Amino acid sequence: MSHTLFTSESVTEGHPDKIADQISDAVLDNLLANDPNSRVACETLVTTGLALVAGEVTTESYVHIPDVVRGTLARIGYTNAMFGIDATTCAVLTNLDQQSLDIALGVNTGGAGDQGMMFGYASNETPELMPATIQYAHALTQRLAEVRKSGEVPWLRPDGKSQVTVEYDGDRPVRVHTVVISAQHNEDVRQSDIVETLTEKVVKAVIPEHLFDDKCILHINPTGRFVIGGPHGDAGLTGRKIIVDTYGGVGRHGGGAFSGKDATKVDRSAAYAARWAAKNVVAAGLAERCEIQLAYAIGVPQPVSIRVNTFGSSEVPEGEIARAITEVFDFTPASIIERLGLRSPIYTPTAAYGHFGRTPERRRPTTGGDEVQFFPWELTDRIEDLKTAIGS
């Protein structure tokens, strides 16, 4: 097998686009907490000293949007105007209208909220059944936030990025070839200290030892300075990190973003369902890699097409896997929402560090209320059903 390189990136929760995603999902969660049937399509723009929230919402609930915006910014760490935006003093503008009644005609009867295609993917190259490149890139950005918030690295600021290049022997990861980290920092820290600290406390703390060797190339703050960042360095918009949100460029993407959308939007719910199905296929040992495409017509409940691709990694014919998937999983929007509990306020944690490859867990939402299942599409709870459907 030939040796090849593949690269994926991640960004921290303080990246401008991720700030926007988290605000949009926080608005969604707060609306769902009071009215689980809320229809939400919420978009956010952040720039220096300003957050603008716009979109279409139909709900029986009321949420004070400025409080949600300021609370999200404070949680991330934007509590100082020098960082580009201050949760206490920034301007917050809102422009929310009612969802189109024409769209509601199709959704109210259980149909898809829009047309489009969605992809789900899984691979056995990591324990999370995710591509190694994106899984390690997310781990690096999560670690940056962890050492910043704990005070272990006090000169870090919220904005940051990571990038991981993995060397593969065929489909098997054999080593991490290159790591790139760009981390926002205070003015008075030296570049040599940044490199040494982030190498020891972030890179070596995250990259598995069996994949990290002395030949690994490290680019840490390669420009030599990253003081101006956050919304001051670059405006942020909801939905601009769709590859970071999914599989890091491995597999395909239907083009639809997730954050700020309630589960009647199949851009979100069907992408979650496709990941759920693909992950169970790989977890069941039916394939080493699996990609599932779903496609919908607006107002129509059943997918117009379902396609399974195992990239030659299964001894079971793809047609048999596709038949088993359609027997085990119901991909109508109403069923996806019910089976995965997607009317619960579980979305804000998805808006940074990826929607997939996370540990499913039961806990209380930040909006209050009873415990609910977070990341339910990561459950491998259909393994035996798939094996039975296949007949093995």
Side-chain angles (χ1 to χ4, degrees):
M1 301 290 286
S2 61
H3 280 237
T4 57
L5 301 177
F6 194 85
T7 302
S8 297
E9 72 158 345
S10 177
V11 298
T12 66
E13 62 202 65
H15 184 279
D17 294 330
K18 278 290 140 199
I19 299 171
D21 283 343
Q22 289 166 93
I23 290 172
S24 293
D25 271 339
V27 171
L28 171 63
D29 276 350
N30 277 271
L31 289 166
L32 290 176
N34 296 303
D35 178 8
N37 294 311
S38 296
R39 302 276 173 79
V40 183
C42 177
E43 312 292 343
T44 303
L45 176 147
V46 292
T47 187
T48 306
L50 170 67
L52 169 63
V53 180
E56 294 79 44
V57 172
T58 299
T59 184
E60 298 296 324
S61 174
Y62 171 76
V63 171
H64 189 61
I65 302 298
D67 285 350
V68 175
V69 171
R70 298 184 193 284
T72 303
L73 289 169
R75 176 182 56 77
I76 294 169
Y78 282 102
T79 55
N80 187 328
M82 291 180 61
F83 296 172
I85 194 167
D86 184 344
T88 303
T89 62
C90 71
V92 179
L93 304 180
T94 63
N95 189 356
L96 296 172
D97 292 320
Q98 187 178 25
Q99 185 186 72
S100 165
L101 295 177
D102 294 345
I103 294 175
L105 287 174
V107 178
N108 290 345
T109 58
D114 202 351
Q115 70 176 45
M117 64 281 191
M118 301 84 210
F119 290 90
Y121 181 85
S123 166
N124 67 357
E125 61 190 85
T126 63
E128 299 83 5
L129 303 186
M130 285 285 287
T133 49
I134 188 67
Q135 200 66 19
Y136 300 146
H138 284 324
L140 288 168
T141 50
Q142 284 182 294
R143 179 64 179 165
L144 280 174
E146 180 182 318
V147 297
R148 171 177 63 87
K149 290 182 172 182
S150 69
E152 187 175 354
V153 184
W155 41 259
L156 279 175
R157 293 181 178 179
D159 198 357
K161 290 184 173 184
S162 71
Q163 188 170 281
V164 175
T165 301
V166 170
E167 180 180 337
Y168 286 85
D169 182 359
D171 294 327
R172 182 175 63 89
V174 293
R175 60 183 294 268
V176 172
H177 180 276
T178 303
V179 171
V180 182
I181 290 179
S182 294
Q184 188 187 15
H185 57 85
N186 293 344
E187 277 190 288
D188 56 357
V189 62
R190 296 179 301 179
Q191 171 69 0
S192 58
D193 292 336
I194 294 172
V195 172
E196 180 181 354
T197 300
L198 297 188
T199 298
E200 294 299 321
K201 294 185 179 295
V202 177
V203 178
K204 291 184 178 180
V206 163
I207 303 299
E209 289 186 11
H210 70 282
L211 296 177
F212 187 76
D213 58 32
D214 57 6
K215 294 181 181 179
C216 180
I217 301 168
L218 299 180
H219 294 296
I220 296 178
N221 281 23
T223 67
R225 180 179 170 86
F226 186 4
V227 174
I228 299 173
H232 184 46
D234 189 12
L237 292 170
T238 300
R240 279 208 305 202
K241 286 291 177 283
I242 59 175
I243 300 303
V244 171
D245 284 343
T246 52
Y247 307 103
V250 178
R252 282 163 277 206
H253 196 294
F258 300 154
S259 290
K261 298 177 180 177
D262 74 89
T264 64
K265 280 73 172 175
V266 284
D267 274 342
R268 183 168 217 160
S269 54
Y272 289 172
R275 162 64 177 174
W276 183 34
K279 185 175 183 180
N280 275 270
V281 167
V282 174
L286 301 178
E288 295 181 3
R289 300 166 64 201
C290 182
E291 179 188 79
I292 296 174
Q293 186 204 48
L294 304 175
Y296 292 84
I298 188 169
V300 178
Q302 292 290 346
V304 300
S305 69
I306 301 173
R307 184 176 188 271
V308 176
N309 185 359
T310 62
F311 308 93
S313 69
S314 172
E315 295 183 6
V316 180
E318 287 179 351
E320 284 296 297
I321 295 177
R323 180 191 57 77
I325 286 171
T326 56
E327 183 178 320
V328 171
F329 295 91
D330 182 346
F331 291 119
T332 60
S335 178
I336 295 170
I337 291 169
E338 179 183 357
R339 297 293 179 88
L340 295 179
L342 299 184
R343 294 197 189 280
S344 300
I346 59 174
Y347 296 104
T348 303
T350 70
Y353 314 119
H355 294 245
F356 309 122
R358 311 287 287 272
T359 302
E361 54 180 320
R362 294 194 67 85
R363 55 187 167 94
R364 194 179 305 277
T366 56
T367 53
D370 297 333
E371 284 192 351
V372 292
Q373 181 77 62
F374 283 74
F375 303 101
W377 49 90
E378 292 296 311
L379 293 169
T380 51
D381 55 353
R382 295 292 186 269
I383 292 174
E384 295 307 318
D385 294 335
L386 284 169
K387 288 182 177 180
T388 300
I390 289 289
S392 62

